Amino acid sequence: MTVLDASTDDGLNSGAGGSASAPRQRRRSAPAGYGLHVEPMIGLEWSEALEQPGGPPATAPADARRAWVHRAPEPQVIALYRAVVAADPALPAPWWLRAVAAGELTSRREGFAVEDRVAKLLDARPGWIFVPWGVDGDSGYWEYMPSERALAEPGMPTTLAHTHRHPGWIDVIPVHAGRAPASIRVHGLADLRANLSRLESLRPWNRPDGTLSG
């Protein structure tokens, strides 16, 4: 019996415009009567799909879209993602991919446009720095570095990241030391632009004993 991973479609080896390389295909023979365990293979293939090739550090989200999930034909990306979720819902995935698969974004391109519009706004604003090593296969996040001046101990500056959890697609975590406070939902680019000064002026919240957050 042959165990075949989710990328055995010959078309999966060609990326967008034939340039993207799909995660490696694997065929393995399973002994008769042996239990079929495809989850580890799917997990490995998905890790390869999210892997960023080497290159200079990205200075904007567009520069960080180097992985297979960013470049391969979108139907193939969605198909592999659905297979991954069926095997292990806890595996990481980009925010825009979760939103597209749920029907909340129309396409990967729309998700990229959300990132690019936010990047254009923040890049023109002093103090915001793009951090390219995001989690879960995402492109990265933004930190407002001047907010660290409000901390009396090492901590995290005010941070903006994209999310699939609400249709504004933007969360802001205020500057803090220790345990992170609840994130602030931003309802899209217009809301971000209108409230950017307020978000930049966030201060660490106080504990009941009067000391700063942690």
Side-chain angles (χ1 to χ4, degrees):
M1 181 172 64
T2 299
V3 179
L4 182 62
D5 70 7
S7 66
T8 53
D9 182 4
D10 290 340
L12 197 59
N13 280 329
S14 61
S19 61
S21 296
R24 293 189 300 274
Q25 299 179 12
R26 299 174 187 80
R27 293 177 182 265
R28 297 180 182 177
S29 295
Y34 185 78
L36 189 60
H37 298 287
V38 298
E39 289 87 352
M41 297 171 61
I42 285 286
L44 179 58
E45 183 174 7
W46 189 241
S47 178
E48 292 174 349
L50 297 178
E51 185 177 357
Q52 294 275 12
T59 60
D63 300 333
R65 296 172 193 147
R66 305 167 182 165
W68 182 84
V69 294
H70 300 119
R71 300 177 293 119
E74 187 170 323
Q76 296 176 5
V77 175
I78 297 294
L80 180 57
Y81 169 72
R82 294 192 189 282
V84 165
V85 170
D88 185 353
L91 285 175
W95 73 273
W96 51 264
L97 180 51
R98 294 186 185 277
V100 171
E104 295 167 350
L105 283 177
T106 60
S107 67
R108 175 176 59 186
R109 183 183 297 274
E110 185 180 357
F112 291 170
V114 170
E115 293 181 342
D116 291 342
R117 287 192 290 265
V118 170
K120 183 177 180 180
L121 174 64
L122 297 184
D123 191 50
R125 189 87 169 187
W128 287 95
I129 301 297
F130 179 68
V131 181
W133 43 87
V135 296
D136 296 345
D138 285 331
S139 300
Y141 56 94
W142 295 83
E143 292 181 340
Y144 184 62
M145 301 309 296
S147 64
E148 288 186 317
R149 299 169 187 163
L151 293 172
E153 56 186 305
M156 292 294 297
T158 294
T159 302
L160 182 150
H162 291 283
T163 179
H164 68 285
R165 294 181 178 88
H166 61 84
W169 315 125
I170 302 168
D171 277 346
V172 171
I173 301 175
V175 55
H176 63 278
R179 181 172 54 87
S183 60
I184 300 170
R185 291 189 177 193
V186 179
H187 301 289
L189 183 66
D191 187 32
L192 177 63
R193 184 183 291 111
N195 290 285
L196 195 51
S197 294
R198 182 178 65 84
L199 294 171
E200 292 172 347
S201 65
L202 291 171
R203 295 294 181 267
W205 53 273
N206 292 328
R207 300 188 183 98
D209 63 2
T211 58
L212 292 180
S213 60

